[in-house]
Amino acid sequence: MEYSLEERIGNPDLFVGRKEELAFFLKWIREIEERKSKSTAILARRKMGKSALMERLFNITFDKNGGVIPFYYEVKEGKKWVVDFCQDFFLTFIYQYIAFKSRKAIYLKPLIEPNFDRAKQAAAKEGLDYLIEIIEGIEHASQSGHVDLLWQSVRDMPKAVAFIRKEFIVQIIDEFQFLNAMIYWDEAKTRLADDLAGGYLSTAESKTAPLLVSGSWVGWLMNELITMLPARFRFTPLENMPEDEAVEMIFKYSRFFDVPVTEETAFLIARLTEGSPFYISSILRSQYRDKDLSTIEGLSKTLEFETLNDRGEIKSTWMEYVTTAFSRVNDRYAKNIVLYLCKHKEREVTRRELLEKLSLDMTDAELEKKLKALVKADIIEQGRSYFYYRGVQDNIFGKVFRGVYQDEIEDFEVGEIGREYREAFEKLKKQYHRLQGKYNYQKGYFAEYLILSQLMYHARKKSDLLKSITHNLPPDFEFCDYSRVWSYRYAPEFAEGFSVDIYARSRLAEGYSIIGEVKNRDKKKFSKDEVLEFEKKLKQIVELEQLSPIVDFIFSREGFTKEAEEYCLAHGIAYTEDPRWLDI
Ligand SMILES: Nc1ncnc2c1ncn2[C@@H]1O[C@H](COP(=O)(O)OP(=O)(O)O)[C@@H](O)[C@H]1O
Ligand SMILES: [Mg+2]
């Protein structure tokens, strides 16, 4: 699948999971046509995958070419003059609109810098003459010096176009909080326009061009939205990934960036990071020189580097939060408070406890104000009421924080953190072996990924063996060089969201591509109904991807029912239960 808008994730195949969110938001976008969808804010800290998700939503909506026109704009970090900003915002909208209408993706990434004249030419060339007047209007406004009027027109333009043309537009605005934090009324950038977002009061109610915004400054943005745009937005957090998606992400990144993991370490990473895409991608792409993610020792060292070293992505990202927070709440008590909450992160702590335990020399009201500011900056969390607070609920932030501040406040030995990671991994390892024990096997907890590696790296060398342990392959079958080997999750937009475990696409036109299903954690034999189900999915993929020739392949550890086997034999489906497929 090729996507039109270039995604920052790089290779589009790297996108993993987010199945539930994709299904939810695609439905939300679909329902814009029924005027049912209410403006929504996706809130999550940096690097949780908001942009990845939003860009994918854009692309799916763009390619679907249905009744909703997608507009994606990221408000960048960094100071900007409002006139420059408005031009960029407006031209991005116009170019994306022209791209959608003309079905020419080139407008999404124009070779020449967009400007008003070029936009007019493009509109004329694509037969969208009604845009020309609109572009001229904004061109004049941007020369008039009435910057507030300029922002008003630009801001309302997607909604206005939707209205005039009787169309539907989804306005996806990434990092919405920067509207109020990065844009200046004057060219010298001395007067901050701190209420641009507030202008969305009526636009955000639009049912024909609703907003889907994101924000990384969760506490701050929520506060702004609640005060400036009351009841205009629904809030949706973007959480960590569920375990199956986390594991898929680990194996995918492992293969793509050529960083080996084992089944065991993949499990350990998934559990320790609790499925945070930020932590997973930081670990797999870590700059640590001796990175070895195939052993507990190597894994601990990599995490230690990420946690304590300034070049660690994890540390540097967290320190951005901490630095902004402390620039607003500037004193040493703040550090003690955060440290205390980190140490007791398993429970909520009251203000009274903080006052007593840390002998804070301040009134309860002063403490409340300070805590509120820390919550707003996302480095502590609100508890069940305004009297309760707690530390960030993950396994890593506390260690980053201690690494930086603990020795300032208390005696502290840095080696402690590496030790703690090792201990955590040893504990998780026991869980892993218990789970394996439950299924009574040593290998193949994540069988689909072992088979994918088998196909990618070893199949051609071990061709005779693998062929001999697989039933019903076509007589002329050979393993070949595969251009991509992933599990395949197709955009839920086109069919009921479906996935297959194995999707190995042959590089050569005449080579067999393989589409397969893997069943390893089920004590039942593979049934005929399941084969039929698999065949249905397969047909859709073959159609979508125009694959030929292909081999349908099923691996089932518990084997097959008699009917299933007969069906496979009669319908040219290759099948196997041989665990040697998992030896890599
Ligand atoms: N669904 C996903 N599949 C694969 N990688 C992801 C996914 N979501 C996030 N990532 C990884 O995490 C990084 C940060 O994601 P991004 O979307 O930029 O986060 P945010 O916009 O929330 O700051 C991406 O560059 C990518 O490496
Ligand atoms: Mg982003």
Side-chain angles (χ1 to χ4, degrees):
M1 190 78 197
E2 291 290 322
Y3 285 114
S4 306
L5 180 78
E6 191 170 320
E7 299 177 330
R8 78 196 60 199
I9 196 165
N11 185 327
D13 284 342
L14 270 182
F15 188 89
V16 183
R18 292 295 185 203
K19 244 162 107 174
E20 215 172 278
E21 291 83 356
L22 279 172
F24 178 85
F25 284 110
L26 289 169
K27 177 162 179 279
W28 182 89
I29 291 173
R30 218 166 33 237
E31 288 183 350
I32 294 175
E33 288 184 75
E34 296 162 37
R35 299 168 202 253
K36 278 200 218 155
S37 304
K38 188 176 150 85
S39 288
T40 297
I42 302 179
L43 302 175
R45 288 197 183 83
R46 276 171 200 273
K47 302 189 181 165
M48 281 294 289
K50 299 181 295 300
S51 301
L53 175 66
M54 290 174 128
E55 288 172 338
R56 184 55 56 100
L57 288 171
F58 176 96
N59 272 328
I60 294 173
T61 309
F62 187 95
D63 289 346
K64 187 185 172 204
N65 193 15
V68 181
I69 303 168
F71 165 44
Y72 171 86
Y73 187 80
E74 181 189 16
V75 189
K76 295 261 167 35
E77 193 163 6
K79 295 181 177 183
K80 231 175 178 168
W81 179 33
V82 70
V83 173
D84 291 340
F85 169 74
C86 283
Q87 271 187 27
D88 187 55
F89 185 92
F90 174 72
L91 289 172
T92 306
F93 167 65
I94 288 293
Y95 272 69
Q96 290 185 3
Y97 184 89
I98 297 175
F100 184 90
K101 286 288 180 178
S102 65
R103 308 311 303 154
K104 290 183 186 159
I106 183 73
Y107 290 116
L108 298 176
K109 209 188 165 205
L111 298 172
I112 312 170
E113 182 80 9
N115 64 22
F116 290 119
D117 282 336
R118 293 193 186 112
K120 278 183 268 178
Q121 284 161 20
K125 181 168 166 223
E126 304 304 342
L128 303 166
D129 292 328
Y130 55 92
L131 292 179
I132 295 176
E133 205 178 327
I134 290 174
I135 298 167
E136 276 167 359
I138 298 296
E139 190 176 8
H140 286 145
S142 68
Q143 286 154 0
S144 71
H146 297 297
V147 284
D148 45 346
L149 283 180
L150 171 66
W151 165 239
Q152 250 177 51
S153 330
V154 162
R155 179 196 66 214
D156 290 339
M157 193 53 77
K159 183 178 135 190
V161 170
F163 179 76
I164 299 164
R165 306 294 308 167
K166 298 200 174 11
E167 290 166 339
F168 297 97
I169 295 179
V170 55
Q171 306 192 57
I172 306 176
I173 303 184
D174 205 354
E175 300 297 8
F176 196 67
Q177 76 276 345
F178 290 151
L179 273 182
N180 281 0
M182 294 296 162
I183 306 196
Y184 289 78
W185 287 124
D186 56 328
E187 201 168 0
K189 297 175 197 145
T190 58
R191 283 188 301 126
L192 181 70
D194 60 2
D195 57 356
L196 291 193
Y200 276 100
L201 206 57
S202 94
T203 312
E205 278 193 316
S206 164
K207 291 286 186 286
T208 50
L211 294 154
L212 180 60
V213 308
S214 84
S216 292
W217 298 359
V218 178
W220 193 84
L221 182 58
M222 225 151 96
N223 209 55
E224 298 272 292
L225 291 179
I226 289 168
T227 49
M228 290 194 321
L229 297 165
R232 296 305 193 272
F233 282 90
R234 203 169 271 163
F235 298 117
T236 317
L238 185 62
E239 314 263 8
N240 287 344
M241 292 179 163
E243 189 158 291
D244 59 333
E245 295 187 357
V247 167
E248 183 180 341
M249 177 166 173
I250 294 164
F251 280 105
K252 216 175 230 193
Y253 273 58
S254 154
R255 204 163 326 122
F256 193 82
F257 295 105
D258 211 9
V259 185
V261 294
T262 65
E263 284 201 293
E264 183 179 285
T265 58
F267 178 88
L268 300 182
I269 297 171
R271 285 276 162 110
L272 191 96
T273 59
E274 297 162 292
S276 152
F278 163 44
Y279 288 148
I280 293 174
S281 100
S282 302
I283 292 170
L284 275 115
R285 305 182 64 178
S286 173
Q287 303 285 324
Y288 180 49
R289 226 184 12 194
D290 302 319
K291 181 168 67 175
D292 169 12
L293 302 184
S294 66
T295 64
I296 286 193
E297 184 57 23
L299 203 49
S300 305
K301 284 203 170 128
T302 307
L303 255 168
E304 199 178 327
F305 173 89
E306 280 296 316
T307 308
L308 298 175
N309 195 293
D310 286 340
R311 288 195 297 129
E313 172 95 0
I314 294 183
K315 176 176 173 182
S316 54
T317 302
W318 269 122
M319 286 319 289
E320 278 173 35
Y321 276 101
V322 172
T323 318
T324 2
F326 286 175
S327 69
R328 280 180 232 159
V329 198
N330 190 15
D331 74 19
R332 132 160 213 280
Y333 285 143
K335 291 175 192 164
N336 292 36
I337 292 167
V338 178
L339 192 58
Y340 189 84
L341 293 176
C342 283
K343 279 191 184 156
H344 301 279
K345 81 167 167 61
E346 69 297 339
R347 64 183 175 89
E348 299 185 350
V349 173
T350 61
R351 283 206 299 278
R352 189 179 311 123
E353 179 176 341
L354 288 170
L355 282 168
E356 281 168 13
K357 285 279 164 46
L358 297 172
S359 320
L360 302 179
D361 184 18
M362 61 172 87
T363 65
D364 185 51
E366 283 165 348
L367 176 61
E368 183 172 7
K369 212 170 130 207
K370 201 169 292 271
L371 289 166
K372 219 178 197 162
L374 292 171
V375 170
K376 239 166 118 179
D378 303 319
I379 62 171
I380 68 172
E381 290 174 9
Q382 190 74 59
R384 72 195 88 143
S385 78
Y386 281 120
F387 193 49
Y388 288 91
Y389 301 85
R390 53 183 203 176
V392 170
Q393 295 297 299
D394 76 32
N395 293 318
I396 295 176
F397 169 69
K399 295 189 180 53
V400 175
F401 194 81
R402 278 164 49 209
V404 181
Y405 292 115
Q406 188 151 346
D407 54 347
E408 237 179 69
I409 303 166
E410 297 165 17
D411 274 344
F412 168 69
E413 188 216 329
V414 175
E416 218 174 277
I417 282 173
R419 247 190 334 269
E420 286 173 16
Y421 280 131
R422 257 170 231 113
E423 272 167 33
F425 282 132
E426 290 297 342
K427 236 195 228 156
L428 291 170
K429 184 175 156 177
K430 288 202 185 102
Q431 278 179 23
Y432 178 68
H433 287 295
R434 264 203 305 278
L435 280 172
Q436 273 187 320
K438 200 166 117 198
Y439 297 107
N440 216 357
Y441 48 74
Q442 291 303 309
K443 200 179 259 183
Y445 189 71
F446 302 121
E448 56 272 42
Y449 300 106
L450 294 180
I451 294 179
L452 288 171
S453 294
Q454 187 78 276
L455 288 170
M456 190 76 177
Y457 300 116
H458 314 289
R460 279 193 300 168
K461 275 176 286 170
K462 292 161 60 177
S463 172
D464 288 343
L465 170 74
L466 293 175
K467 284 199 292 192
S468 74
I469 58 175
T470 308
H471 310 284
N472 206 27
L473 283 167
D476 62 340
F477 177 83
E478 292 297 340
F479 291 103
C480 52
D481 194 10
Y482 300 105
S483 66
R484 37 177 283 175
V485 183
W486 304 125
S487 51
Y488 183 99
R489 296 190 195 282
Y490 198 71
E493 186 68 23
F494 293 84
E496 282 312 300
F498 65 85
S499 62
V500 290
D501 299 321
I502 292 177
Y503 175 74
R505 193 182 183 122
S506 160
R507 236 180 242 291
L508 299 172
E510 64 273 19
Y512 279 101
S513 297
I514 301 176
I515 296 181
E517 183 90 350
V518 174
K519 195 154 162 198
N520 65 323
R521 275 182 255 157
D522 201 325
K523 301 255 178 204
K524 288 196 325 256
K525 289 178 187 300
F526 208 91
S527 69
K528 182 178 162 190
D529 281 347
E530 288 170 308
V531 181
L532 292 172
E533 192 62 29
F534 171 58
E535 260 202 324
K536 224 163 62 195
K537 290 195 285 190
L538 205 122
K539 269 211 193 89
Q540 284 175 291
I541 299 178
V542 172
E543 232 166 72
L544 283 164
E545 302 282 341
Q546 317 227 317
L547 287 180
S548 155
I550 59 157
V551 162
D552 322 348
F553 170 90
I554 302 172
F555 173 90
S556 165
R557 189 184 282 267
E558 292 296 321
F560 298 79
T561 64
K562 196 155 173 295
E563 300 79 60
E565 237 173 293
E566 281 165 8
Y567 188 89
C568 287
L569 284 170
H571 292 81
I573 299 171
Y575 63 99
T576 178
E577 63 216 23
D578 199 307
R580 279 174 288 176
W581 258 97
L582 307 176
D583 293 337
I584 55 171

